[in-house]
């Protein structure tokens, strides 16, 4: 699976949009981009995923560049409860195997 | 919303003892995983399980570890002879299919403390 690079930490003001970047320059054509977050020591929580089109759900939006070498997770109106470690993961689509490899992620701190 | 349930939430065991960590995945999910996270470190993959057999395992998952789906609902991780370095949060996860179309649902974890 392709390697991802994320900034170690970011701050965001409460109520503002949080834009979390991820670089995955070696991504291959059959690899999806997934985003998870981990609040304190809880289990990771799936947020969103995409292949090449931009995606939106009730939690966030995912913007993938046309060349697919980078993406941005957008939390449109960050709240204090969005303070967490955010992981960008690239994973091949495979029928019966496959793991998600978690890196160091980005620690997002939402400030009042 | 369906959840992955893990029990116990916290287990303390003596070094050398066997422990079994239990997970109840979401009922219609087909793929199951165990991950662990040592305090302050990354979330690490241990093993994936599909169709009643191990699909993939990491170097961490040595002969001391085993997994089982004994009754079609539970998914267990057994550590035969625990070591101090096995102290960690252990997370179970499941997904409906593993073709890149679905994210994993994780449980809230079992904190294992080996003394």
């Amino acid at each position: 699976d392709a390697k991802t690079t994320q900034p170690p930490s970011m701050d965001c003001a409460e109520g503002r949009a949080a834009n979390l970047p991820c670089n995955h320059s070696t991504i291959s054509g059959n690899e999806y981009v997934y985003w998870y977050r981990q609040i304190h020591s809880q289990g990771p929580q799936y947020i969103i995923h995409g292949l090449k089109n931009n995606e939106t759900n009730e939690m966030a939006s995912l913007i993938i560049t046309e060349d697919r070498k980078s993406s941005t997770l957008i939390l449109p109106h960050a709240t204090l409860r969005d303070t967490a470690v955010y992981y960008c993961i690239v994973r091949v689509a495979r029928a019966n195997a496959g793991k998600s490899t978690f890196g160091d992620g980005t620690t997002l701190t939402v400030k009042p | 919303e369906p959840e992955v349930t893990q029990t116990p939430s916290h287990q303390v065991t003596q070094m050398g003892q066997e422990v079994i960590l239990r997970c109840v995945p979401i009922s219609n999910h087909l793929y199951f995983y165990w991950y662990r996270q040592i305090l302050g470190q990354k979330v690490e993959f241990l093993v994936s399980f599909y169709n009643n057999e191990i699909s993939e395992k990491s170097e961490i998952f040595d002969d001391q570890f085993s997994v089982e789906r004994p009754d079609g609902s539970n998914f267990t991780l057994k550590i035969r002879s625990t070591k101090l370095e096995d102290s960690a949060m252990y997370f179970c996860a499941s997904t409906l299919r593993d073709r890149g179309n679905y994210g994993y649902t994780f449980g809230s974890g079992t904190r294992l403390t080996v003394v």
Side-chain angles (χ1 to χ4, degrees):
Chain A
D1 297 336
K3 182 176 168 55
T4 62
T5 304
Q6 299 178 253
S9 64
M10 292 182 65
D11 291 342
C12 177
E14 189 179 18
R16 305 297 294 267
N19 296 281
L20 293 96
C22 179
N23 182 288
H24 33 78
S25 58
T26 60
I27 192 170
S28 60
N30 63 346
E31 289 182 316
Y32 287 73
V33 180
Y34 284 81
W35 284 83
Y36 289 82
R37 72 181 182 184
Q38 186 176 28
I39 297 172
H40 196 45
S41 295
Q42 298 176 23
Q45 178 189 22
Y46 164 79
I47 301 173
I48 198 167
H49 73 278
L51 184 60
K52 51 186 173 182
N53 298 322
N54 297 337
E55 302 287 346
T56 296
N57 63 20
E58 65 278 5
M59 289 182 69
S61 295
L62 174 61
I63 308 298
I64 303 174
T65 58
E66 194 168 337
D67 62 7
R68 301 185 71 237
K69 293 184 178 182
S70 65
S71 61
T72 301
L73 178 74
I74 301 172
L75 307 179
H77 306 288
T79 70
L80 299 179
R81 287 177 295 180
D82 292 321
T83 292
V85 180
Y86 287 78
Y87 299 99
C88 169
I89 293 168
V90 168
R91 187 164 69 93
V92 69
R94 220 165 38 214
N96 64 348
K99 63 190 185 207
S100 290
T101 301
F102 288 79
D104 294 317
T106 295
T107 298
L108 174 69
T109 303
V110 180
K111 299 186 173 181
Chain B
E1 188 169 326
E3 292 183 342
V4 173
T5 304
Q6 290 188 244
T7 55
S9 58
H10 189 188
Q11 178 145 5
V12 181
T13 188
Q14 290 204 326
M15 191 169 53
Q17 294 295 305
E18 174 183 287
V19 294
I20 297 176
L21 309 183
R22 302 183 190 280
C23 170
V24 180
I26 293 172
S27 61
N28 62 340
H29 282 190
L30 301 176
Y31 299 87
F32 314 108
Y33 309 86
W34 283 101
Y35 283 77
R36 79 171 187 189
Q37 186 174 33
I38 296 170
L39 186 63
Q41 298 187 23
K42 296 179 187 180
V43 177
E44 301 174 290
F45 169 78
L46 292 178
V47 65
S48 60
F49 191 86
Y50 168 73
N51 200 24
N52 283 320
E53 61 183 24
I54 291 173
S55 304
E56 190 172 359
K57 59 184 181 180
S58 71
E59 292 176 354
I60 303 168
F61 195 89
D62 61 20
D63 292 343
Q64 293 297 314
F65 292 88
S66 62
V67 289
E68 195 176 39
R69 189 158 160 79
D71 56 12
S73 61
N74 291 285
F75 180 50
T76 61
L77 174 69
K78 182 192 291 186
I79 309 175
R80 287 189 182 80
S81 178
T82 50
K83 304 188 273 286
L84 294 177
E85 53 265 38
D86 293 327
S87 294
M89 283 290 290
Y90 287 80
F91 296 109
C92 173
S94 67
T95 190
L96 179 58
R97 54 195 295 185
D98 193 32
R99 297 181 183 223
N101 294 336
Y102 292 84
Y104 298 170
T105 301
F106 283 83
S108 54
T110 293
R111 180 175 299 283
L112 177 65
T113 303
V114 183
V115 297

